[in-house]
Amino acid sequence: MSSLATSAQLNRPNNVFVSSNNEVYIADCFNNRIRKILENGTIVTIAGNGTKGSSGDNGLATNAQLNRPYSVFVSSNNEVYIADQGNNRIRKILENGNIITIAGNGIHGFSGDNGLATNAQLYTPCSVFVSSNNEVYIADQGNHRIRKILENGNIVTIAGNGIHGFSGDNGLATNAQLNSSYSVFVSSNNEVYIADYFNNRIRKILENGNIITIAGNGTHGFNGDNENGNIITIAGNGIHGFNGDNGLATNARLNHPFSVFVSSNNEVYIADYYNNRIRKILENGNIITIAGNGTAGFSGDSPFDIRTYPHIGNKLLTGNGNLHSKIEFHNLKKHSRDELFGLPIYGFIPLIEKTSPKFSNILKNEKLLCLMSSSQEIIQKLIDSLMYDKNKVKFSKEEILDVLFILGLFKNGEFIDLKRSLTSEFVNSLTLENLTFKWETIENLLKICNEEFNVQNYILDHLNNYCIEYAVVQMRTKKGNTLLPTLPIIMRNATAIFSKMIITQPTAINIEETIETEPQIIESLYNDKKTSDVKIKMGQDKYLYCHKTILTSFSTLFNALFDSGSCFSDLSDDGIFTPDESEDLELLEIVIKYCYGISTDKIDDVKIIGLLDMAMKHEIQYLVDYCKNNFNLSIDNYFTILEACEKYLDLQSFEQFLREIVKFSITNRKQLFRDHTNRIYKLPEKVCQEMLLRLSQDF
């Protein structure tokens, strides 16, 4: 079954969102899933197991239950927010793939303002939006309010008095009446826009807190285009139904479009609800379908696990709640040590062998790489898509055949979605005008495969046959028949043979491959003696077998030590690095495991202080954040932790941590200082200053 989004079934897609890297997120409401269209055109589920319910918090989002998810939003740090309408909650997918609730206790109703958002009641929230300063806005539809989650986790109402109706324009938004607020949007200058559904208006909260109407006169109907006020129609002819793809959007029929989104490159995306499609308006004004085949239901997800296949998905997930890395396969750093045979190609072969063994065979063949001199840039891009810079790898239309030339040399399920998407792109780009050029290019590439490499290229064989069948079909048209004399003689002969067959359209190309070996993730290289290029001594007769490329990609200190020997003795003749005696080997091992994406058990409060120090030296921000977030401050360890952290408290990255310390200090000041008044003089100066400031504000 195809995993292309256009072949998939959707079921009442309510909302569409396009991230900064042009991945399209869909709230597939009646399938109880959040789905994503990847750059290669395939579709995957990222949240929801398809069963309506409310389970799964703190576990993988794909295992969780959703209940009519109405809206999806992706923040600048790639966290996904979901308006889980039927569960009366706002939920969030963390970078590790787990899902949590950030607002709503699951009971519909209204309560909780000025308290923690997770304790509050929501009533069928329909929309969620995260502003540039990370405040979360909620269209609390059933409560006829717009609410906001503050940085401290508390929730407040910013518009609507809870009574449905219309009133309040030009006054405070919190005193105004809304009537089923279905959607909320926050502009870059923090003005809040509201789709006030049953009031048939778009309203705006100004910076001074007042609310006004900016569109709609309150009467349902259609008029006003091109009149004063400058509103126009950009899609839909006003008649519900489906038609018009590949034509002007204003001539097309839509069927209850529920959501619209404008991407950074000004393309307009529409959730065409009852047509069970996501549609897009191109720059030329035409409209196309990018997801959904028009039939309500669920199908079409890519059969490949986004967590396992680095060239399809991205994150390494552990899902066990312990310390885990957020390493991506494609963010290794290129290094001269990984140059292949002195050619302008860089690839960390041990990892490529794990993720794409057949592709690695090509990279280890010096003769083959030299013969493919014109394709070396393409080869580098393919390597980049595996481990160096996946999100930025793009193939131009001119490169498609060169890429398929390389990918057609091996099967085994490697790069399967890229093979499918580029094959589809080639087929869709074929015209009578470019047929000869493309066919001759394929013939030349097949000749190279046969004469120079002595290998078969199954993808190019498919494309070659497709071109001939395409020619046969087109020759039956008036325009195509006039083109026949201009075709190469070999193609004319092949066309003449094929024309004897009954061909009404070219045979569809199905790229089907069996996955012989499951790609391995980076952690499988941990302590791999066979492929390592450096040993680190971890005690008497104990060594860790490591890879310089991996260590230097994630640790600034490791990157430096291989040049200067900083914190380590010089490399011995047998390739061993020996840490200085001052190093805590247990913590060093945690840092090394992090570089390989390996989770570790929860660390006790004493060790975590040392880990923080080591994480700062290695400049591994995620480990720093982990340490800051996992200090369990108590009366007993308070002064020990403060002493260990004092040197970091002036850093901007520790502002939130400092606030937590100050909050704990004030809340527990009697227990901390009542019997030990002399201890107050041992507090870090920064903590004292912040405590005094906070106390003065309270009084």
Side-chain angles (χ1 to χ4, degrees):
M1 182 179 292
S2 172
S3 57
L4 285 176
T6 47
S7 301
Q9 287 179 288
L10 306 177
N11 200 346
R12 310 288 173 81
N14 268 353
N15 183 252
V16 60
F17 186 97
V18 185
S19 66
S20 57
N21 60 355
N22 289 320
E23 290 181 319
V24 180
Y25 293 74
I26 304 166
D28 196 355
C29 183
F30 276 48
N31 278 325
N32 300 297
R33 298 172 184 261
I34 301 297
R35 300 171 82 180
K36 179 167 77 167
I37 306 174
L38 305 178
E39 287 185 277
N40 59 18
T42 58
I43 192 168
V44 295
T45 292
I46 63 167
N49 62 12
T51 303
K52 185 168 70 172
S54 62
S55 68
D57 266 8
N58 301 308
L60 284 176
T62 47
N63 295 335
Q65 290 178 303
L66 303 177
N67 191 347
R68 300 291 189 259
Y70 217 82
S71 172
V72 61
F73 187 97
V74 184
S75 66
S76 57
N77 60 354
N78 289 319
E79 290 181 320
V80 180
Y81 293 75
I82 304 165
D84 195 356
Q85 185 198 43
N87 283 324
N88 301 293
R89 299 173 186 264
I90 303 298
R91 300 172 83 177
K92 180 167 76 167
I93 306 174
L94 306 175
E95 284 195 273
N96 65 4
N98 284 1
I99 192 169
I100 60 172
T101 293
I102 62 167
N105 61 10
I107 303 170
H108 73 270
F110 175 75
S111 72
D113 264 10
N114 301 308
L116 283 176
T118 47
N119 295 334
Q121 287 178 285
L122 305 176
Y123 201 151
T124 59
C126 282
S127 174
V128 60
F129 191 100
V130 183
S131 66
S132 56
N133 60 355
N134 290 318
E135 291 182 318
V136 180
Y137 292 74
I138 304 166
D140 195 357
Q141 180 258 336
N143 282 322
H144 312 289
R145 297 171 184 260
I146 302 297
R147 300 172 82 178
K148 180 168 75 168
I149 306 174
L150 307 176
E151 281 191 280
N152 62 7
N154 285 0
I155 193 169
V156 295
T157 293
I158 63 167
N161 61 11
I163 302 170
H164 72 275
F166 174 75
S167 72
D169 265 9
N170 302 307
L172 282 176
T174 48
N175 295 334
Q177 287 178 286
L178 304 176
N179 200 345
S180 290
S181 44
Y182 263 81
S183 183
V184 62
F185 180 93
V186 184
S187 67
S188 57
N189 61 352
N190 290 319
E191 290 182 320
V192 180
Y193 294 76
I194 304 165
D196 196 356
Y197 187 71
F198 283 116
N199 280 327
N200 301 294
R201 298 171 184 263
I202 303 298
R203 301 172 82 178
K204 180 168 77 167
I205 306 174
L206 306 175
E207 285 189 275
N208 62 6
N210 284 1
I211 192 169
I212 60 172
T213 293
I214 62 168
N217 61 11
T219 304
H220 72 273
F222 174 78
N223 69 11
D225 263 14
N226 301 306
E227 296 178 5
N228 291 337
N230 300 318
I231 190 170
I232 60 171
T233 295
I234 62 169
N237 63 8
I239 303 171
H240 73 273
F242 174 76
N243 72 8
D245 264 10
N246 301 306
L248 283 175
T250 47
N251 294 335
R253 291 188 184 187
L254 306 175
N255 201 345
H256 289 74
F258 261 49
S259 169
V260 64
F261 188 93
V262 183
S263 68
S264 57
N265 59 357
N266 291 319
E267 290 181 319
V268 180
Y269 294 74
I270 303 166
D272 197 353
Y273 184 72
Y274 278 119
N275 279 327
N276 299 296
R277 298 172 184 260
I278 302 298
R279 302 173 82 179
K280 181 167 77 168
I281 306 175
L282 306 176
E283 285 188 272
N284 61 7
N286 285 1
I287 192 170
I288 61 172
T289 293
I290 63 166
N293 61 12
T295 303
F298 173 75
S299 71
D301 262 11
S302 172
F304 300 97
D305 188 339
I306 194 169
R307 293 167 291 147
T308 307
Y309 289 75
H311 41 291
I312 301 170
N314 42 37
K315 305 291 184 189
L316 275 180
L317 306 177
T318 62
N320 58 11
N322 294 331
L323 171 60
H324 56 273
S325 83
K326 294 186 286 187
I327 298 170
E328 299 182 5
F329 283 95
H330 52 268
N331 65 356
L332 289 180
K333 293 178 180 176
K334 290 180 184 175
H335 197 282
S336 58
R337 70 173 71 91
D338 297 321
E339 188 179 58
L340 304 182
F341 308 114
L343 300 171
I345 302 175
Y346 297 85
F348 181 49
I349 291 296
L351 183 56
I352 300 174
E353 285 178 327
K354 296 283 187 179
T355 57
S356 295
K358 297 290 186 183
F359 181 47
S360 73
N361 289 338
I362 292 176
L363 301 180
K364 291 185 287 186
N365 188 326
E366 182 178 3
K367 181 181 178 181
L368 187 59
L369 286 181
C370 290
L371 286 171
M372 297 169 70
S373 58
S374 62
S375 299
Q376 287 173 1
E377 186 177 344
I378 300 293
I379 292 171
Q380 185 63 65
K381 281 189 175 184
L382 289 171
I383 296 172
D384 290 351
S385 74
L386 285 178
M387 64 182 60
Y388 290 129
D389 213 349
K390 183 251 181 189
N391 285 336
K392 293 184 180 179
V393 173
K394 305 284 185 185
F395 294 106
S396 67
K397 293 179 180 179
E398 292 74 21
E399 292 175 323
I400 288 176
L401 283 175
D402 289 323
V403 179
L404 291 174
F405 161 64
I406 296 168
L407 297 181
L409 297 175
F410 55 87
K411 292 188 177 181
N412 196 35
E414 298 170 25
F415 295 96
I416 183 68
D417 283 287
L418 182 60
K419 291 175 181 178
R420 287 171 175 166
S421 64
L422 292 184
T423 299
S424 176
E425 195 168 337
F426 171 85
V427 167
N428 292 334
S429 68
L430 199 59
T431 65
L432 282 171
E433 288 73 21
N434 64 28
L435 173 63
T436 298
F437 171 76
K438 291 196 174 188
W439 181 79
E440 287 181 334
T441 302
I442 293 169
E443 281 287 299
N444 289 332
L445 291 173
L446 283 171
K447 185 177 180 181
I448 293 172
C449 289
N450 294 330
E451 296 181 3
E452 296 188 30
F453 302 160
N454 193 30
V455 294
Q456 184 181 5
N457 193 305
Y458 81 104
I459 293 180
L460 293 184
D461 283 338
H462 280 314
L463 297 182
N464 190 37
N465 289 336
Y466 188 92
C467 286
I468 294 171
E469 291 186 11
Y470 178 86
V472 170
V473 173
Q474 294 299 321
M475 291 312 140
R476 296 184 181 132
T477 67
K478 183 177 180 181
K479 182 179 179 181
N481 193 46
T482 60
L483 192 69
L484 182 61
T486 67
L487 293 177
I489 188 167
I490 299 176
M491 194 173 193
R492 271 184 278 164
N493 292 338
T495 303
I497 295 171
F498 273 72
S499 64
K500 306 298 182 183
M501 306 176 188
I502 301 174
I503 300 175
T504 58
Q505 61 181 13
T507 305
I509 300 175
N510 293 316
I511 306 296
E512 299 294 342
E513 298 180 10
T514 301
I515 301 175
E516 298 172 9
T517 57
E518 187 173 293
Q520 301 294 308
I521 55 179
I522 198 170
E523 67 182 60
S524 64
L525 290 174
Y526 177 71
N527 210 19
D528 185 358
K529 185 176 181 179
K530 180 181 176 182
T531 62
S532 69
D533 57 3
V534 61
K535 291 192 294 183
I536 298 179
K537 190 169 184 178
M538 303 299 290
Q540 186 68 31
D541 299 324
K542 180 183 177 182
Y543 300 93
L544 281 181
Y545 295 89
C546 301
H547 305 78
K548 292 178 182 177
T549 294
I550 292 175
L551 297 181
T552 58
S553 291
F554 304 110
S555 162
T556 302
L557 184 58
F558 278 133
N559 191 44
L561 77 86
F562 289 122
D563 294 327
S564 66
S566 173
C567 290
F568 287 79
S569 65
D570 290 335
L571 184 64
S572 63
D573 293 337
D574 53 357
I576 298 174
F577 269 111
T578 303
D580 287 345
E581 292 181 1
S582 60
E583 290 287 342
D584 185 318
L585 297 181
E586 182 183 348
L587 297 180
L588 179 61
E589 188 170 356
I590 290 174
V591 170
I592 293 171
K593 282 184 174 180
Y594 163 78
C595 293
Y596 284 86
I598 297 174
S599 63
T600 187
D601 294 332
K602 189 170 177 62
I603 304 165
D604 65 50
D605 294 328
V606 176
K607 281 290 184 183
I608 210 167
I609 297 170
L611 183 59
L612 173 65
D613 196 32
M614 188 169 285
M616 293 293 288
K617 285 195 297 185
H618 282 264
E619 296 184 23
I620 301 177
Q621 187 57 46
Y622 177 73
L623 276 180
V624 172
D625 292 341
Y626 171 82
C627 294
K628 290 190 297 183
N629 294 332
N630 284 274
F631 276 138
N632 293 311
L633 273 175
S634 67
I635 302 298
D636 294 331
N637 68 18
Y638 174 83
F639 290 98
T640 305
I641 287 179
L642 255 63
E643 183 180 354
C645 299
E646 181 175 4
K647 55 187 172 183
Y648 304 126
L649 294 179
D650 285 323
L651 298 178
Q652 186 176 357
S653 59
F654 273 73
E655 284 183 359
Q656 179 62 33
F657 181 58
L658 176 61
R659 284 197 290 269
E660 292 299 322
I661 289 178
V662 171
K663 181 180 178 181
F664 183 89
S665 303
I666 293 174
T667 304
N668 299 281
R669 60 186 182 275
K670 289 183 179 180
Q671 290 173 276
L672 288 169
F673 309 118
R674 180 178 54 198
D675 299 326
H676 305 281
T677 53
N678 62 315
R679 283 186 170 182
I680 200 166
Y681 301 108
K682 295 183 179 180
L683 288 179
E685 183 180 354
K686 188 76 172 177
V687 174
C688 284
Q689 290 173 350
E690 293 295 326
M691 283 180 67
L692 289 171
L693 179 62
R694 174 79 175 272
L695 288 168
S696 65
Q697 290 173 342
D698 290 344
F699 289 103

